[in-house]
Structure formats: C-alpha cells, structure tokens
Amino acid sequence: VYMPLSALPPTNGIDTFYFSLPQPDDGTEPATIAVVPEFDEAYIAYNHNVTVHRAYPASTDNITARVEDRPEIVGANAKYSTNYIAQLNAFPRAKYITYFKGFLWASGILDDPHGVRWSAPGIAYKVWPALSRETLAENDNSGVTAQYGFGENMLLWKQDSMWQMVYTGLNAFGLAEFRPQRVPGAVGCVSQASVVEIHGRVYWLAEDGVYSFDGVSVKPVFKERIQSYFRRINPSRRAYAVGVDWAPFNSYLLSVAIDGSDANNLVMVYDYDNKSWWLWDGIEAQFWLADEDSADNFSLYFGDASGRIYEMGKGLTDHGGTITSYVETQRMARKPLGRAKTLRLARVLSNNLARSLT
C-alpha cells in the first residue's frame, strides 16, 4: 500500500510516498525476479528461496514455487515424462532467477555456487531436467554473482570473470544444451542489481569500476578521476549497489554506499551520450523502479532506507535554496609533473536565469 505524505513538503522537488521496505541485516542480497508474461506469473528468488506470484492471486494461493506435475507435461506418455527424463523434485534454491528465451535460468544455487541450471522451454518451463546444468570453473573459484539474458545468450558473472551460455543443440533426450564460454578479457560483477542493458550494451559494477559489453568486447566506462570513488564503496555493501537507465536523460544511475555507510548514499551518474560522470549526494536510493506507460511517458522512482518512495525529477525547484556544483576536468598533461600551467581563458555557458557565478 502506498500512502502519499501530503502533509509534508516535497524534498528537493521530489514527491514523497511511504512504503514499508524491510532492510536486510543478515547478509542476504536483494531479490531477483523472473516475469513469465505468457502465463501471468512472476518468480522471485530471495535468500535461496523461490516463490511464485500470479497476476490474479487468491488468498488461498501457496506462493512456494513448485515444479511441473501436470500429466500432459510430465505424465507417462508426455514429452517430459519422468519415466525417461530425470528431473528435480523442487525448484533450485537459487539467488538469481531469470526468464529468457522461453527458459527459466537459475544460479547462485545453495550447495552449488558454481553451477547454472535451466528449465525445459515453453509450456514446460517448470520442468527442471537433472541433466540441464553446467559448471563455471576455471581459475576463478568464486561463486556466481550475477546473471542477465542479453542478445542470444545468457550472461553470467563470477567475482573475477564473465561467461556466456552458448546454445549447442539438443541432446539424445531432446533437451536443449548450453555450453559455458568465458568472455576473454572480461571482469567480474559485484552486484546483480547493477546490471542494466542500454542501447545494445550491458553495464555493470565490477570491483574497480563500471564496465560495458556489446556482445563482442568488454570496455571500462570510467576514468582516472572517478575511480577513487569506486574505491570508497563499502565492500560489504557492494552487492546492494543498484543501477537503472534514466532514459530521457541518457544516463546510467548507479547508487552505492561509500565511506563505511550501511546504506546507499551516493548516486554515480554516467552520461552515456557524452561519456561523462556526475556525482549526486542527498539521493539515498536503495532501489530503482523505472516505468513507461502506453504513451511512452517515462517515470523513475526510488526508495530510501526509511521506506519512503520518491519520484525522480518531479518538480524543478530547490525551494529558494542555493546549490553547489562543480566540474572537474581530466588532467591537462600527465608529464612532466610539478610544472605549472597557465589557463588563458575559462568560459562558462548558462541561460539567463543564472544570477551569479562564483
């Protein structure tokens, strides 16, 4: 239930709403969600438990996700008969779940941190064949840290590596097979919620900064000047970093916790059109929610650590208060060090609403 706080003034031109938002204190990561639009269902994975939620729920619904049991799907004469195809008797105890290309994908599995599983396709998406599994293992011994369906392949990350699940055909039982293929030169991911697809590229947070992938190559999208802020991210809160595409403003917003904070307290903004970074404090976004209606009107919401919900960019005033802003350029010259530089001209462009610049 959302309740507008109409008695309180908006903060920095942002409308405020109240929402009960539990704050994790047990080391669990944010939940992931897999929407299956064909069947009006959504699966939520949280703390190695998967629940199912329907478009028209009944009060008697059992929300524990259950594997397929209909005779027409797994019965004696069905394509996925349990007489011929060994199957899991319960949903994988996963942290990450995604619906992609007609399959449910699960990783970050309890007692199987290096494994990835996929279901049968289409109407049999709740069938989990025992053989439909692969291990991501080379010289990166960490568990899976993120997954995202992109292009034709499912992408998976570990702490220091990135992988693609490449389709290789059907096996003798008619089950789809995928082979893990490590992406050369790629880095890992530290936050599932930081992964965002924008204009044919995937962006995510690694240990030392933000990277992007276009299906072929991985590129860093941070510069020397901004890298010091990535080093200030609280290591124990990296998994709670959250990203979103603020499409009307061509910006990837990444909310992080820095300087020992137990909650996100800084938004790092990457303007992907101009390839520049901005830093916003005072916006303590613990999660983002982007929404676009049938008329292509885009809205962006976020929730803070106290459970309040805000609409981003609502209103254009600072309520009479002044703001402080600055721009830090790249280094004018790397060598020789210690030599003074003279700036002959500094030009500031503004509209006629600006009253003074100091």
Side-chain angles (χ1 to χ4, degrees), residues 5-177:
L5 299 180
S6 56
L8 299 179
T11 304
N12 293 331
I14 303 174
D15 284 349
T16 308
F17 299 87
Y18 180 80
F19 181 70
S20 179
L21 177 67
Q23 292 301 302
D25 57 5
D26 55 1
T28 56
E29 296 181 23
T32 58
I33 183 170
V35 177
V36 186
E38 300 97 314
F39 303 103
D40 293 328
E41 289 184 339
Y43 291 84
I44 297 177
Y46 179 69
N47 196 22
H48 299 292
N49 290 300
V50 181
T51 55
V52 60
H53 305 266
R54 297 178 175 84
Y56 304 100
S59 59
T60 57
D61 282 351
N62 183 344
I63 66 171
T64 300
R66 298 181 180 276
V67 297
E68 186 60 75
D69 59 2
R70 289 174 293 176
E72 62 270 27
I73 305 294
V74 295
N77 299 314
K79 180 178 180 179
Y80 298 100
S81 171
T82 54
N83 293 334
Y84 307 106
I85 298 176
Q87 302 173 25
L88 303 186
N89 58 15
F91 261 66
R93 297 285 301 277
K95 288 195 295 185
Y96 314 119
I97 191 164
T98 305
Y99 184 67
F100 179 65
K101 299 290 185 181
F103 297 84
L104 278 174
W105 292 80
S107 64
I109 302 168
L110 188 67
D111 298 325
D112 187 16
H114 307 286
V116 55
R117 287 190 173 276
W118 58 93
S119 70
I123 195 172
Y125 67 98
K126 291 185 286 186
V127 173
W128 293 90
L131 292 176
S132 297
R133 179 199 173 278
E134 282 287 352
T135 298
L136 308 183
E138 273 189 14
N139 58 350
D140 183 354
N141 294 322
S142 62
V144 176
T145 57
Q147 68 177 33
Y148 186 83
F150 176 66
E152 295 300 317
N153 302 324
M154 173 60 66
L155 303 180
L156 293 115
W157 289 264
K158 302 178 83 175
Q159 198 74 25
D160 298 305
S161 59
M162 179 182 179
W163 305 71
Q164 297 188 88
M165 298 299 294
V166 180
Y167 177 70
T168 58
L170 302 178
N171 63 17
F173 297 97
L175 300 173
E177 292 191 321

Side-chain angles (χ1 to χ4, degrees), residues 262-283:
D262 289 330
N264 294 342
N265 59 351
L266 179 72
V267 178
M268 306 181 75
V269 184
Y270 178 61
D271 179 342
Y272 46 80
D273 270 6
N274 297 303
K275 296 180 172 54
S276 59
W277 282 92
W278 301 87
L279 300 171
W280 296 345
D281 56 14
I283 300 177

